[in-house]
Amino acid sequence: ELDARLALVADLGFEPGDKAEVQGFVTSVASATEFVLNATERVRIRDGTTFKNGTRDDIVLNARLEASGDLRDDGTLVANEVEFLATTP
């Protein structure tokens, strides 16, 4: 799985340490500090992560959001900012 994640990141033209941004729906919440967007993008929040239009507690299944931050060697995005986006009916 890690090799596939690294290949996907490389295919997108990103390298570890790059700034990146992902947007989509929360498809899994692994812990209080880690969740998955669109079933493929693992995102980690940290103490310094800022939130717009919501809080850490609003990271729930099917929440629509955008996360931006730094890409790690394992393909995880460490979020500097998480913005909750309105869902359209």
Side-chain angles (χ1 to χ4, degrees):
E1 178 181 330
L2 178 58
D3 289 340
R5 186 176 307 279
L6 291 174
L8 176 63
V9 168
D11 287 347
L12 295 174
F14 290 108
E15 294 184 15
D18 281 355
K19 300 283 185 197
E21 185 175 281
V22 293
Q23 184 180 112
F25 290 92
V26 176
T27 52
S28 172
V29 179
S31 70
T33 59
E34 191 168 304
F35 60 94
V36 177
L37 288 179
N38 307 321
T40 58
E41 303 298 331
R42 192 170 27 175
V43 180
R44 184 172 302 132
I45 57 175
R46 54 187 179 75
D47 288 339
T49 301
T50 59
F51 296 90
K52 288 185 176 180
N53 304 321
T55 69
R56 175 185 303 236
D57 294 334
D58 295 318
I59 298 172
V60 296
L61 287 179
N62 297 317
R64 185 171 173 246
L65 53 85
E66 179 179 285
S68 58
D70 302 309
L71 203 58
R72 296 291 182 222
D73 291 343
D74 65 357
T76 299
L77 177 74
V78 178
N80 296 323
E81 181 178 282
V82 172
E83 180 178 358
F84 293 86
L85 304 171
T87 56
T88 54

